[in-house]
Amino acid sequence: MEKLFKTGDWYHYARLPEHEKRMYMTIYNNLKEEAEDFSFRAEKHNGVLPTWDRVLEIFLHVIWDNPVLYQVDATNIGLSYDPLRSDIVRFSCTDYFSDDVEEAVEQTLRMRVDEILDTLRSQPRGYGQLRKLYDHMVERIDYMDDVSRVNTLKNLEARTVTGPLLSHLGVCAGYAKAFKLVCDQLGIGCFYIRGKGLGNGGWGNHGWNVVYLDGAFYHIDVTFERGWYESTGRNQHRYFLRGDEAMAKDHQW
């Protein structure tokens, strides 16, 4: 995948302590090589092994920093690790693209991203490109409703970049990863943030983006804007470049 796409800002990696950065890189290198099963020794810090939850969190940091790892279904992995008994960490990952179709998927994904980039390069760098990308995703990518989720493959794709970019169908994770992937190609600082969003059913798990523009951080939530767009037929830019105070009204992070 590296030959096809630029790697962008590793926001989550940069904020890890050194001993966790080494674990991050071990996981990343295995996933980059498309290893479906791999193991390694967890490193002690101050004489203490990391918890099971912390190892999983570092794995998710790798997925959030690298949307090009679309072949990994982060919701369907096996993590075998008991720090009370052993320092051995074992991961098993589901690769839901067979080898005979993965090359075609990669090339088609590259073509689709290039098409989007062509529409953005005529825009003013930074704000103009972000707004054009936001508009494109809000107005052209459908949110996957509960009915569509009976199709397992589409459900899996919707959580990665392939659903929004190839099938025009996604959920919050897919929207945010696709947005970051394009920003990475433009050299715009962007990362995936996880938290909760306030919807009709109350607070629920949610993911969106934060971008770095003109010396400041701003929130962008394509998913929430798409919800308004589907109900009103208008893109009102309610969730485009929002500050922390405004975003905190219906988001927690």
Side-chain angles (χ1 to χ4, degrees):
M1 291 300 295
E2 286 186 327
K3 65 182 182 299
L4 295 176
F5 294 104
K6 297 177 184 176
T7 299
D9 178 23
W10 279 9
Y11 177 89
H12 297 287
Y13 171 85
R15 283 150 183 79
L16 295 175
E18 289 302 318
H19 68 286
E20 292 190 340
K21 284 182 177 178
R22 289 190 285 273
M23 190 184 307
Y24 177 112
M25 288 305 303
T26 297
I27 296 170
Y28 170 73
N29 287 328
N30 276 280
L31 294 181
K32 185 178 66 172
E33 296 302 320
E34 302 184 19
E36 295 187 31
D37 298 281
F38 59 93
S39 61
F40 57 90
R41 291 187 180 276
E43 183 176 334
K44 288 184 177 180
H45 182 62
N46 295 330
V48 179
L49 287 168
T51 65
W52 187 96
D53 286 341
R54 187 56 185 167
V55 172
L56 177 62
E57 190 79 2
I58 295 170
F59 174 90
L60 293 175
H61 288 335
V62 175
I63 299 299
W64 299 339
D65 279 345
N66 297 278
V68 295
L69 296 173
Y70 67 83
Q71 77 276 12
V72 181
D73 177 15
T75 68
N76 189 23
I77 63 165
L79 170 54
S80 176
Y81 171 61
D82 183 351
L84 298 178
R85 298 187 178 188
S86 172
D87 61 355
I88 300 297
V89 177
R90 292 185 174 87
F91 275 104
S92 59
C93 305
T94 300
D95 184 349
Y96 57 90
F97 288 104
S98 60
D99 292 340
D100 60 334
V101 301
E102 187 160 337
E103 184 176 353
V105 170
E106 290 182 5
Q107 295 297 333
T108 306
L109 189 60
R110 174 75 268 182
M111 290 173 58
R112 184 71 191 108
V113 172
D114 281 344
E115 290 173 0
I116 296 173
L117 291 173
D118 285 343
T119 69
L120 301 179
R121 290 192 175 104
S122 62
Q123 302 298 315
R125 176 167 170 76
Y127 177 87
Q129 292 175 327
L130 287 171
R131 183 172 173 120
K132 183 75 172 178
L133 175 59
Y134 183 86
D135 291 350
H136 175 90
M137 295 188 66
V138 166
E139 296 168 15
R140 300 191 186 188
I141 300 172
D142 295 327
Y143 185 81
M144 174 178 275
D145 56 30
D146 291 337
V147 176
S148 301
R149 297 188 187 215
V150 299
N151 184 315
T152 303
L153 181 57
K154 284 192 176 297
N155 191 14
L156 296 175
E157 290 178 334
R159 296 194 295 268
T160 75
V161 299
T162 58
L165 295 178
L166 300 186
S167 303
H168 302 282
L169 188 68
V171 295
C172 62
Y175 279 106
K177 290 172 184 174
F179 195 91
K180 173 174 168 51
L181 179 63
V182 178
C183 285
D184 288 349
Q185 310 317 299
L186 293 168
I188 295 175
C190 176
F191 65 91
Y192 178 106
I193 187 170
R194 182 186 65 172
K196 292 185 179 294
L198 180 60
N200 294 333
W203 291 98
N205 292 332
H206 188 46
W208 63 98
N209 297 102
V210 170
V211 298
Y212 188 69
L213 182 66
D214 297 333
F217 289 100
Y218 299 96
H219 298 263
I220 288 179
D221 192 339
V222 176
T223 310
F224 267 40
E225 188 72 58
R226 176 66 195 188
W228 282 99
Y229 181 79
E230 289 180 353
S231 62
T232 66
R234 295 172 54 218
N235 181 355
Q236 302 174 58
H237 301 92
R238 290 172 178 258
Y239 294 93
F240 179 69
L241 299 183
R242 295 184 93 186
D244 284 351
E245 184 177 355
M247 200 67 168
K249 294 177 181 178
D250 50 14
H251 288 68
Q252 298 173 351
W253 60 93

